Amino acid sequence: MADQSKVYNSPVDEGPLDDGTRDALTEGLVDLLRPAVEEIDDRVKCVRESQMELRQQIDSVADDLKKINEIEAVPVDLEPYVKKLNNSRRRVMLVNNILQNVQDRLNKLHTNVSKETARKKTLLDPGASFK
């Protein structure tokens, strides 16, 4: 018969984590994820701003091409280029909508992480909320 003192027991065999270990693990994961979420959120904001700027520039160029086409007899038909710009504008708006959805999700995640962190801190130190 094997010596039971030499048998390795994995953490899975020990049962559920106690509250302190679970809270420390949760707080560690939250602290680990928070900088990444904030960085992604900042980058999404920057991309959205550049997308809006690009859309404005596309609109401006499309308007200029329409005006040139209406005012002068141009040897080149500008209508296909206006259509391409409008198509590009639609794609930029689509990307902007996707980025808005991503940013909304990130903001919700960030809010949930902040709430969970605050909740865990109050559970760990209930006297701190009364100071």
Side-chain angles (χ1 to χ4, degrees):
M1 179 131 209
D3 183 10
Q4 292 294 333
S5 63
K6 293 183 180 181
V7 174
Y8 173 74
N9 289 325
S10 71
V12 174
D13 294 337
E14 294 175 11
L17 298 174
D18 65 355
D19 288 340
T21 304
R22 185 179 23 230
D23 291 344
L25 183 60
T26 300
E27 189 170 333
L29 287 172
V30 166
D31 290 343
L32 180 68
L33 293 175
R34 181 179 291 122
V37 170
E38 289 173 353
E39 182 180 344
I40 291 170
D41 189 44
D42 289 341
R43 289 185 182 194
V44 167
K45 285 178 186 175
C46 291
V47 171
R48 285 193 63 230
E49 289 171 4
S50 68
Q51 290 287 312
M52 288 188 298
E53 191 177 309
L54 177 60
R55 188 184 71 200
Q56 290 171 350
Q57 290 176 357
I58 288 172
D59 289 344
S60 176
V61 170
D63 289 342
D64 290 344
L65 286 176
K66 286 178 187 177
K67 287 176 187 174
I68 290 171
N69 200 26
E70 290 171 359
I71 295 172
E72 299 178 18
V74 183
V76 177
D77 184 19
L78 297 178
E79 190 63 30
Y81 299 105
V82 171
K83 286 181 182 178
K84 285 182 182 182
L85 283 171
N86 286 333
N87 191 19
S88 295
R89 182 182 184 276
R90 271 186 248 118
R91 284 184 279 166
V92 166
M93 289 175 58
L94 177 65
V95 169
N96 197 29
N97 289 338
I98 292 169
L99 287 172
Q100 178 65 46
N101 290 335
V102 168
Q103 189 170 24
D104 290 344
R105 289 177 186 165
L106 282 171
N107 287 338
K108 286 178 186 176
L109 179 61
H110 188 266
T111 301
N112 290 340
V113 165
S114 297
K115 284 180 183 178
E116 184 66 19
T117 302
R119 187 180 74 79
K120 291 293 182 181
K121 285 183 181 178
T122 57
L123 288 175
L124 292 175
D125 190 15
S129 61
F130 297 111
K131 291 182 182 177

